[in-house]
Amino acid sequence: MASSITDTLAAPRDRDEPSAQTPAALSFDDLPLRALTDEQFLARYKTDRFTASILASRMRYVVKHMSTVLLTTAFSMILRDWYDFAATISGPRDMNYPMSTGSDSLSIFMFTMPEGIRNTIEEFGPENLRPGDVIIANDPYRTGLHVNDVSFIRPVFYRGKAVAFVTIRAHQLDMGGVVAGGFSGNKKNVYENGLVISPTLLYRDDKPVRSAFNFIFDNARYGELLLPDIRSLYQSLLLGERLLLESIERYGIDAYLGAIRYSCDVSADSMREAIRTKIPDGVYEAEDGIDADGVDDTRDYRLKLKLTKYGDNIELDFTGTSPQARASINCGPLDVKAAAGVALKMLIEQQSPLSSGCFRNIDVVIPPGTFCSATPPGGPIFMYWEASITVLLAIYKALAPVLGEDAIGGDYGSLMLHNGSGLTKSGQPWLTVGNCGGEHGPWGGTKAGDGDSYTVFHVSNNLDPATEAVESDVPVVVMRKEYVADTAGPGENRGGAAVRRDTLWLADGEHLSIALHAKEPSGIGVYGGRPGTTQACWLFPGEEEGGAGLGPLLPADDSILAQSVPVVGLLDPETKRVDPNGRYYYYASRKSWAVKAGGAFRFQTGGGGGWGNPLARDPERVKRDVRDEYVTIEGAYRDYGVVIEGDPINAPEQLVVNVEATARRRREMAAA
Amino acid sequence: MKQDEYAEFLRPDATKRPVSRDYLEQLGVDLEADFPGSTPEDFLEYPVLGEGGWFIVVKHQRTLATVSRKPWRLLGPITLLSDGLDFD
């Protein structure tokens, strides 16, 4: 031990010898990379700085190409258009499977991958691996995420030894269970949840293992899409393997292994410095939560966070979090770690690429049996992102007071995912997952500017499928995708605006919508900014079901909401408008929402949180927001103290700011 | 304490256990020299998830200084339905 507390903190963290079960971790060294001499660098990484940097870049090139193969050859929309996958490279067992490289895609996929690969290969038995293998696993408790997110892991052999693992975690359209597509917050246990695949050989000697394919295709729906997707995934892995082996042949195995370690050390180095310099020592606490589970709305679920920071280290303690839910809205510890990693990358360290090294100075403490650390069989995990988003938000909240201008406003905070399925009149099955609900929405404001208004929430990083692609695949017409005025959290830099999406259904179907952040805004305001609005969803039955028969285009006017059947939201019981003091309408009050052809849904996401004092926003920026219909004239007066004159609908370019009235109004607001 | 005992001990409202002076000495901690002014009550033992997976750590709570970090089970506190099956 060192001789004092100070020396102890300055020294590398102590590590005991690893057990046989878990091989040696990467060694710890607090000396920044930039402080190493060339000789020290060579001794540590068995190669020079230039080569290590080239190989680190080359590994990013490899995962990009793996991703491109999948994007250009996948058949299902969820991969082809949603980018619902991630590719990674991990090092060998004797380095404890360090994940050096991830693709430019789903961040929560990436940060669950290090454990997912380690757990899969250790259980399968590294001694059982051969060249030409592909191992799969999808168990949320072993690999994180949900059963539809299957890990396809390819060991890369060099001179008889597995020196790398190229992996793609990719969403499969269906993995069985009680709901087509799997997306439901109502599944009560792991038996209803879908097919759980423990580490299983899918290819041996580069030939499909028949029993494994039967295992999947005798349990999963939509096999005609799954099979070509799996073949595309296999080809992506082959490309990754080939490119990696070419790199090893060219630069040598020592340099390659050194570059794996170097890539992780770069991330660790940057994160450690960010922790040390951007967060004052102290204990920071916060809570966040979700509204209900899929059983009833009598319980809400609260996440408790105690974040301790001292010196270079952070500990995130989630002790005291609500017990696990009775339905599949839970997530697991790996998802919590992943969300924490995304939060800290977003808040304090955006410079270095993702790798497992990001966590070198971060520890997560979470007991089992909470809704963020659910256990089988009664704690099914499927809508994992809804729970893990609370982790990110709690960290945002906890650190906002000390990050000052570096704080980030909350995003829309929930996919409010829509899932629909049925048969066309000709008997053809159809399924849509995540294309027609509130899946895309706004981010919060930051010191850099206003929040974007149409993207995917922070813990993810997907794309938005083209409307035309959605409409060609399923019997739906997307009638409206637009921003909603006065929903963005006001701020010097405002949040992004809520997104409203109307869909008209042309065939009978069963619909689910899982919306779990309607009771309080997830778009938290920071640095003096204010929160955005909450999410909501309404159903408009068609004439056949006694609905109003509103025609192909629902009027945009909120007065039409009075004719709706509320699906979810805090709404005024009479007008059905979003109202923070309204009644809570519960998404799972019906097992599913049966809709006849001619019915329509309206989804409205939450608004992004504002950054900075709204009274400090340049009145000309407010005027532009009124012109662009992000803010109404009334909202400009109420939220920003800016008096705008003119007609934003018919003469938007003739709007003017009444400077004197604005100054007067702002003085009044500041005094209040 | 045996490592697997943690899985039974852990509850949503309790994750950390106290350690004794003897235990700290076994870990090589010279309390007076390494952490002047601290007592065994300033240390706790518990599982964490970090780089490299799950570990059982002993940390000085005020400074987060780690005095012991031992690899734990691969899945940490999670018990699978298939755990404990004996196929042989």
Side-chain angles (χ1 to χ4, degrees), chain A residues 589-608:
Chain A
S589 59
R590 297 183 191 177
K591 188 174 180 185
S592 70
W593 296 75
V595 176
K596 294 283 188 188
F601 281 102
R602 170 168 290 177
F603 285 83
Q604 185 168 310
T605 72

Side-chain angles (χ1 to χ4, degrees), chain A residues 1-3 15 315 319-320 363, chain B residues 12 15 33-34 46 51 59 69:
Chain A
M1 290 295 299
S3 59
R15 290 227 150 192
E315 188 173 277
T319 302
D363 278 341
Chain B
T15 52
D34 298 334
Y46 47 97
E51 184 192 23
K59 288 190 192 181
R69 192 174 182 90

Side-chain angles (χ1 to χ4, degrees), chain A residues 1-5 15-16 21 96 115 118-119 122 142 310 315 317 319-320 337 356 360 363-364 367-368, chain B residues 10-12 15-16 28 33-34 46 48-53 59 62-63 68-70 72 74-75 79-80:
Chain A
M1 290 295 299
S3 59
S4 71
I5 290 174
R15 290 227 150 192
D16 293 334
Q21 183 190 45
N96 200 18
E115 274 65 49
R118 178 186 305 109
N119 294 344
E122 286 293 302
R142 290 172 165 102
Y310 195 91
E315 188 173 277
D317 188 342
T319 302
K337 180 187 170 193
S356 51
R360 192 159 303 168
D363 278 341
V364 172
Chain B
L10 295 171
R11 304 186 309 274
T15 52
K16 301 181 178 180
D34 298 334
Y46 47 97
V48 300
L49 179 60
E51 184 192 23
K59 288 190 192 181
R62 187 165 54 80
T63 62
S68 173
R69 192 174 182 90
K70 298 176 182 173
W72 196 27
L74 275 177
L75 304 186
T79 302
L80 299 173

